[in-house]
């Protein structure tokens, strides 16, 4: 059923400052500051912390032209302290900031969902083919001068598509789908190729690991069909904090790395950014530590989480076990032989580890089981490690299954990593929201805690409720994509969220 290869997808190398993304370079580790980019001292200090932890690229938010211009000052402060980590500018909604950043940054991230298209309002738009072509020409008129400026200054570009910020134009034609996300970036790539600009890295992210994995796999296939080989930046956006953020990131990123995809990664945690680096390094090194480790390559008809049609749940579990996590390809091959021979039993996959810390086990097991589950293998999983209790191991197995969207046993929190756009103290707010909502004892809820509106309502299309920064010290409360309470003081926001959840629970119980 499945084939295996033993090498990473080969992409074109892209120079970013003094480092390289893609080609035969190692998978690059990066993070993002959560300081104001106008605060030179704080931004430089946090960039140094990221670099000292092992980060090889630092991204800073650039909401406006002033923030973009100040990257030059931040770079000077870093160089004065002996730190030459490359800097990437993160731009949303403001093309003028992107043009300024092209003069000062090593790489500029623009979002095809809002670089030219207006901010999405979830409106259904109708276009004839001629009108749609005119929209593409409008993109060309804005994008080509930007690419020309980047070429002039030797600046790389990241085309960063987020599930939560697709434009109304894309969603109206393709829906809120992996195909829409891929087309959103391909529109820009085709224009870039026409003008011979190739210094591009691509990211397609989602908080839903199934969507993220399926979309990146689809993008790789579409690029190959159009003879493109741009490097891929991997990440699960809004992964959250603590064990949930680590496991969710490991499941999504690990599934793709195991399949040979990925040239740079960011583990997005709602924690200090330097905390992301050791997790990302562990994840990268675990998957890439052996050149001959089998990597799962999917046929086109396998969708993450939807391909276990062979299982007859009335039959007992059939266990397949490995004692070395480097052999997950062998485990998959054994399951393939079982299914090819007519086996219909639900499959229990067991992997044995020996890790020093529970966080290490979370990352390793998340990556391995993520690769298997996202490739259609198994109905149940078991984690074994003599250094931890049965209760800890069973809880981890449940967390991995939930991160893979195959079973929900607790509330899921979709929380962005803090950045310079965040409009409240994200880490303390997330802690308060988690404690209060968990105390309600409602299983299976998905709660979005978002620092600003860039991905807020969009990513929360996958959440039941949302807590979104609307302005300094102000919050808006959502039910799905529906705005329920707008721009209230932060002190009133958590009670408002809890009241809304209780109201809906009581209304549902009375029906």
């Amino acid at each position: 059923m499945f084939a295996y290869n033993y090498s990473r997808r080969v992409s074109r190398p892209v120079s970013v400052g003094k480092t390289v993304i893609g080609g035969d370079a190692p998978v690059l580790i990066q993070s993002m500051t959560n300081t104001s980019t106008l605060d030179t001292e704080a931004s430089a200090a946090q960039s140094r912390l990221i670099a000292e932890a092992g980060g090889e690229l630092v991204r800073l938010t650039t909401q406006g032209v002033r923030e973009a211009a100040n990257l030059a000052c931040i770079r000077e402060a870093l160089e004065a302290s002996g730190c030459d980590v490359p800097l990437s500018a993160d731009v949303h909604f403001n093309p003028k900031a992107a043009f300024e950043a092209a003069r000062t940054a090593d790489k500029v991230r623009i979002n095809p969902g809002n670089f030219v298209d207006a901010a999405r309002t979830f409106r259904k738009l109708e276009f004839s083919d001629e009108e749609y072509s005119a929209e593409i020409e409008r993109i060309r008129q804005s994008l080509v001068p930007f690419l020309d400026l980047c070429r002039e200054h030797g600046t790389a570009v990241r085309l960063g598509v987020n599930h939560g910020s697709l434009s109304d134009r894309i969603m109206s034609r393709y829906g809120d789908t992996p195909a829409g996300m891929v087309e959103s970036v391909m529109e820009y790539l085709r224009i870039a190729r026409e003008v011979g600009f190739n210094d591009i890295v691509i990211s397609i992210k989602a908080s839903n690991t199934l969507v993220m994995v399926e979309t990146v796999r689809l993008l790789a296939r579409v690029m190959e069909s159009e003879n493109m080989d741009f490097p891929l930046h991997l990440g699960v956006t809004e992964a959250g904090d603590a064990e949930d953020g680590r496991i969710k990131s490991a499941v999504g990123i690990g599934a793709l790395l195991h399949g040979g995809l990925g040239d740079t990664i960011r583990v997005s945690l709602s924690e200090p950014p330097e905390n992301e680096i050791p997790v990302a390094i562990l994840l990268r090194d675990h998957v890439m530590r052996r050149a001959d480790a089998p990597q799962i390559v999917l046929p086109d008809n396998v969708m993450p989480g939807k391909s276990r049609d062979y299982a007859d749940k009335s039959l007992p579990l059939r266990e397949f076990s490995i004692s070395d996590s480097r052999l997950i390809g062998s485990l998959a091959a054994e399951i393939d032989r079982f299914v090819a021979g007519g086996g219909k039993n639900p499959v229990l996959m067991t992997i044995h580890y020996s890790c020093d810390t529970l966080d290490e086990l979370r990352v390793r097991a998340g990556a391995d089981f993520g690769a298997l589950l996202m490739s259609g293998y198994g109905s149940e999983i078991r984690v074994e490690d003599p250094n931890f209790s049965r209760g800890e191991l069973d809880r981890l197995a449940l967390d991995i299954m939930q991160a893979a969207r195959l079973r929900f046993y607790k509330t899921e929190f979709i929380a962005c990593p803090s950045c310079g756009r965040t409009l409240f103290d994200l880490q303390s707010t997330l802690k308060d929201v988690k404690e209060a909502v968990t105390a309600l004892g409602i299983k299976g809820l998905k709660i979005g805690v978002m620092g600003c509106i860039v991905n807020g309502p969009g990513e929360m299309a996958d959440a039941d409720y949302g807590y979104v920064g609307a302005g300094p010290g102000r919050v808006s409360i959502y039910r799905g994509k529906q705005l329920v309470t707008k721009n209230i003081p932060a002190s009133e926001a958590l009670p408002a969220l809890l009241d809304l959840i209780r109201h809906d629970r009581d209304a549902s119980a009375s029906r």
Side-chain angles (χ1 to χ4, degrees), residues 31-47:
S31 184
M32 185 174 184
T33 63
N34 60 19
T35 55
S36 167
T37 310
L38 294 176
D39 188 334
T40 301
E41 183 177 345
S43 296
Q46 195 168 77
S47 297

Side-chain angles (χ1 to χ4, degrees), residues 168-206:
D168 288 338
R169 177 179 61 83
I170 285 288
M171 288 199 292
S172 295
R173 175 158 286 206
Y174 294 93
D176 190 10
T177 63
M181 295 170 71
V182 169
E183 185 61 22
S184 181
V185 76
M186 291 303 298
E187 291 176 346
Y188 281 64
L189 285 180
R190 293 178 188 121
I191 294 170
R193 185 169 63 177
E194 288 172 11
V195 299
F197 187 90
N198 294 311
D199 292 331
I200 294 175
V201 180
I202 308 164
S203 70
I204 290 193
K205 296 186 179 183

Side-chain angles (χ1 to χ4, degrees), residues 9 57 75 86 147 154 210 287 291-292 335 337 352 382 388 392 420 434 445 471 482:
R9 165 186 172 267
L57 185 147
R75 186 195 306 282
L147 297 179
L210 293 180
V287 175
D292 62 344
I335 297 172
R337 289 191 291 270
H352 294 258
R382 182 189 296 273
F388 304 99
E392 290 170 318
K434 288 178 76 169
L445 280 181
Q482 177 192 2

